[in-house]
Amino acid sequence: MYLSLPIPSSGRCKLQECVQTFTKSEKVSGSDKWYCSRCKTHREAVKKIEIWKLPPFLLIHLKRFKYEGVWRQKLNTNVDFPLSSLDMRTFIVGPKPQPHYKLFAVSNHYGTMEGGHYTAFCKNTSNRRWYKFDDHEVHELSTSSVQSSAAYILFYSAMELQPPDQTSF
């Protein structure tokens, strides 16, 4: 499962703000009115997305590409996201999930709407260090470099990821 979260076009925000925007009530009116199949007419309504429960692995897509009519724009907003303690309990309306999610990978997009380049940051389960994967190159990455305005998809786990069993190779 993944959440596709809107991000503001301002300079910086927290991931929790993106989730709040995703789950806030929205009035549906004008040309977007809701069609009632019972009374066969379009009506104003309030739309609200609620999260019932979350899976052990959570992918968060940050909506960095914005479309308004003929205008297209890539948002370079810096989204502050936790590396080790994403707490989603305040957004869950059903059974309470695992207490915290830990980040284990980030997919990044560098460039514009017309073209760009993707890289990945991944945490090694054996040595607990972060690595940058860029085409055929792999380099160790400082923890402070994991967060950037290029972050596009965040990969979280509520379970502790274990290194693979070396005896099976």
Side-chain angles (χ1 to χ4, degrees), residues 22-49:
F22 178 74
T23 58
K24 77 176 182 182
S25 296
E26 178 183 342
K27 186 174 183 177
V28 181
S29 60
S31 62
D32 292 330
K33 286 182 182 176
W34 173 71
Y35 180 75
C36 175
S37 59
R38 191 167 28 148
C39 63
K40 309 283 190 235
T41 187
H42 286 87
R43 298 192 169 272
E44 287 189 357
V46 174
K47 173 178 83 170
K48 180 164 176 48
I49 296 175

Side-chain angles (χ1 to χ4, degrees), residues 3 20 24 29 31 33 115 154-155 166:
L3 297 176
Q20 285 171 344
K24 77 176 182 182
S29 60
S31 62
K33 286 182 182 176
L154 309 174
F155 297 79
Q166 298 299 319

Side-chain angles (χ1 to χ4, degrees), residues 60-129:
I60 297 178
H61 165 241
L62 299 172
K63 291 177 148 181
R64 292 214 173 268
F65 302 107
K66 186 176 182 179
Y67 304 89
E68 289 182 8
V70 296
W71 302 106
R72 303 180 314 170
Q73 174 186 13
K74 180 178 178 199
L75 302 175
N76 290 313
T77 304
N78 225 337
V79 178
D80 293 324
F81 51 88
L83 303 184
S84 62
S85 188
L86 174 62
D87 186 356
M88 296 290 287
R89 291 178 291 184
T90 57
F91 301 106
I92 305 303
V93 297
K96 293 302 173 195
Q98 297 83 357
H100 298 283
Y101 284 89
K102 293 180 181 175
L103 187 73
F104 66 90
V106 178
S107 176
N108 301 292
H109 179 269
Y110 298 93
T112 65
M113 295 281 294
E114 289 74 36
H117 182 71
Y118 289 91
T119 65
F121 300 159
C122 301
K123 190 172 187 179
N124 182 307
T125 56
S126 296
N127 65 15
R128 305 280 186 231
R129 293 188 183 128

Side-chain angles (χ1 to χ4, degrees), residues 8-24:
S9 53
S10 62
R12 180 174 222 95
C13 71
K14 293 183 181 298
L15 182 61
Q16 305 298 53
E17 294 172 55
C18 297
V19 180
Q20 285 171 344
T21 302
F22 178 74
T23 58
K24 77 176 182 182

Side-chain angles (χ1 to χ4, degrees), residues 149-168:
S149 62
Y152 186 49
I153 302 175
L154 309 174
F155 297 79
Y156 282 97
S157 174
M159 305 180 309
E160 189 65 37
L161 299 178
Q162 300 298 320
D165 180 9
Q166 298 299 319
T167 60
S168 62

